[in-house]
Amino acid sequence: MCLFPIDGYQQMLIPPTERARKLAMYTRGVIYFHLLVILGFFLSALYVDGVVDLLGAMIGFMSIRNNRGYNFQQVLCYSIYLGMDCFWSVIRSVLFLSGLSRNQTPLARWQYNVYVVTIIGSAVFYAVGSVISWQLYRELRSIFTRMMEEAPPLQIQNGAVPGAAAGQYQAVPSDPNAPGGVPAPSAQDDDFTPFTGKKYSLR
């Protein structure tokens, strides 16, 4: 659901307001900075972290790539993703600063410096990015709620059940003789002609 529709589920694009466009601009900045974090992961030999974060950045990009409408479900996925990464990044930073965690891959001096900056800086980035994307989601969600409230009620054009109020559904009673019930089709009508030919059997 975060990247592509599944099981026929259609993701909805919400036409943005001026505030939503402004928050989307901030979210684009978050995505660009996310790419720098990903680059830091790859340069410091944290390849798994880099690939996983690359997928996260793709979710953020897909959510706001259409200027005519933003996908608030994908914005929510990106915000949750950044929030979870913030949690784990804080734990990793604490373990690193306390001397309980080290990169297992031998690194050159410059790679080690990139590793330190990436590990500590990513926690701050994830926290800020999660807040900004969450604000965008809340704005898009409020637009979606207003759209649903202003949408006209569902009307039944054909096949209305007798006795039902206009624009409402009504369950069909199981008893054909009950008010509003649908009579069962007769086994034989005026145009019915019984078969009179010769009968054959497969035996």
Side-chain angles (χ1 to χ4, degrees):
M1 170 181 142
C2 287
L3 278 177
F4 305 103
I6 57 176
D7 296 334
Y9 179 75
Q10 298 298 322
Q11 296 176 335
M12 180 177 295
L13 297 180
I14 305 299
T17 59
E18 287 301 322
R19 183 170 186 272
R21 292 183 186 277
K22 186 176 181 180
L23 290 171
M25 181 181 64
Y26 294 155
T27 305
R28 287 191 182 92
V30 169
I31 296 172
Y32 295 148
F33 200 91
H34 201 170
L35 295 178
L36 294 179
V37 174
I38 294 170
L39 179 62
F41 282 143
F42 281 116
L43 291 178
S44 54
L46 298 174
Y47 302 115
V48 175
D49 298 77
V51 171
V52 173
D53 270 48
L54 185 59
L55 293 176
M58 288 178 60
I59 295 173
F61 170 76
M62 294 289 289
S63 66
I64 58 174
R65 65 190 179 99
N66 192 337
N67 292 326
R68 294 179 299 175
Y70 302 145
N71 191 316
F72 74 99
Q73 296 105 324
Q74 289 180 328
V75 173
L76 176 61
C77 287
Y78 189 53
S79 177
I80 294 175
Y81 174 87
L82 292 177
M84 293 175 60
D85 265 14
C86 178
F87 174 77
W88 293 114
S89 185
V90 168
I91 293 178
R92 182 160 56 180
S93 298
V94 171
L95 293 177
F96 173 77
L97 294 175
S98 61
L100 300 177
S101 175
R102 289 290 184 271
N103 195 327
Q104 301 300 322
T105 304
L107 300 175
R109 185 64 184 176
W110 67 270
Q111 284 182 303
Y112 180 78
N113 294 334
V114 172
Y115 172 77
V116 173
V117 172
T118 302
I119 290 300
I120 299 177
S122 61
V124 179
F125 158 73
Y126 290 136
V128 175
S130 179
V131 172
I132 293 176
S133 55
W134 176 254
Q135 291 295 325
L136 176 58
Y137 165 75
R138 290 186 60 184
E139 177 66 18
L140 296 176
R141 183 69 185 183
S142 64
I143 298 172
F144 174 75
T145 301
R146 291 196 300 269
M147 290 172 56
M148 293 296 99
E149 291 175 351
E150 297 171 0
L154 179 64
Q155 299 290 335
I156 302 176
Q157 300 296 332
N158 299 311
V161 177
Q168 296 181 353
Y169 289 104
Q170 179 176 343
V172 179
S174 57
D175 184 4
N177 297 323
V182 179
S186 59
Q188 181 172 333
D189 55 24
D190 296 337
D191 298 329
F192 177 74
T193 302
F195 178 73
T196 58
K198 186 176 180 180
K199 298 180 180 179
Y200 294 91
S201 174
L202 296 177
R203 297 181 180 178

